[in-house]
Amino acid sequence: MGNPLSLCVVALDPLLEAGAVSALSGNPDIALVRPEEKADVAVVIFDRVDREELDLVAATGGGPHRPAVIVIASHMSAAEAADAVNAGARGLLRRHEVDADRLARTVRTVAGGDCTVPPDLIDGLLDQSTETDAYPGVRGRGPDWGLDERERAVLRMVADGRETDEIAKELCYSPRTVTTVVRDITQRFRLRNRAHAVAYALRTGLL
């Protein structure tokens, strides 16, 4: 991975924070720093996704150093995942899914400007309404407005933190095709980058 990425752990429960710090301290790809110090990535950890926790996510990502935020929660529904993304999270993990390799991969993904969400949470978001006040312009755009199956497949793998070459190999596309699909999505919806595309799709129910 090269130089370690700086990472801080933030939690409302001091015991959760201490446990996370202890678990991460042996990872050579991560340099732990204190929450008040500059960090590339911040891990916000809690049991359930509620208003106080979402405020903590927003405050952490909107702080003076603006780290990329990973949320680790014991329990998280599809609707709560959407709330966490709306609050500024770029990476979502459940506590039972976290190991050194998975966390290091997620840290690399969000530090690089992308977004990663467990696939089952993305699938659950299909049941959410596509109408949202966060994007009032999506109303009434007709049946051609959404994503086709190829776009959904690519964006789901982007959300899972896959690299372009991995996506191309698994879907039997060329890397150039994958890049073109993502670019087409970002241009069509006037989005900034891959992370913004995933967040937009989650918020509006496109995924």
Side-chain angles (χ1 to χ4, degrees):
M1 179 173 162
N3 293 330
L5 289 165
S6 57
L7 181 146
C8 67
V9 177
V10 181
L12 295 172
D13 184 338
L15 291 178
L16 285 178
E17 182 174 340
V21 169
S22 176
L24 290 165
S25 60
N27 192 318
D29 294 330
I30 294 171
L32 287 169
V33 299
R34 298 180 61 82
E36 63 271 17
E37 296 177 314
K38 184 177 181 180
D40 299 307
V41 178
V43 170
V44 180
I45 183 169
F46 38 71
D47 282 323
R48 294 187 176 275
V49 182
D50 211 338
R51 174 47 50 195
E52 187 176 10
E53 285 76 9
L54 292 172
D55 288 344
L56 180 61
V57 172
T60 300
H65 304 304
R66 304 187 69 82
V69 176
I70 297 170
V71 165
I72 300 177
S74 299
H75 307 281
M76 187 163 25
S77 67
E80 290 167 341
D83 288 340
V85 170
N86 280 328
R90 290 189 192 171
L92 303 179
L93 292 169
R94 296 188 183 93
R95 286 177 64 188
H96 71 270
E97 299 170 333
V98 178
D99 57 30
D101 290 340
R102 180 70 181 270
L103 182 56
R105 177 177 165 186
T106 303
V107 168
R108 288 195 299 269
T109 297
V110 302
D114 286 327
C115 184
T116 178
V117 179
D120 67 293
L121 289 179
I122 297 174
D123 289 336
L125 286 166
L126 285 167
D127 297 328
Q128 303 296 311
S129 171
T130 59
E131 293 189 351
T132 171
D133 292 336
Y135 294 92
V138 305
R139 298 175 186 273
R141 292 199 180 189
D144 296 330
W145 166 67
L147 301 174
D148 63 30
E149 287 305 311
R150 182 173 72 169
E151 291 171 332
R152 282 175 179 244
V154 169
L155 204 55
R156 282 179 178 178
M157 295 186 73
V158 170
D160 195 34
R162 305 291 190 90
E163 301 292 339
T164 296
D165 287 346
E166 290 182 276
I167 298 171
K169 183 177 180 180
E170 183 157 335
L171 297 181
C172 298
Y173 298 149
S174 70
R176 182 175 180 179
T177 296
V178 173
T179 300
T180 299
V181 168
V182 175
R183 186 185 66 239
D184 288 347
I185 294 170
T186 57
Q187 290 180 346
R188 187 190 321 157
F189 297 107
R190 299 180 182 179
L191 305 171
R192 295 185 298 275
N193 50 37
R194 285 159 55 121
H196 194 196
V198 171
Y200 178 88
L202 293 172
R203 291 169 182 166
T204 57
L206 286 171
L207 281 179

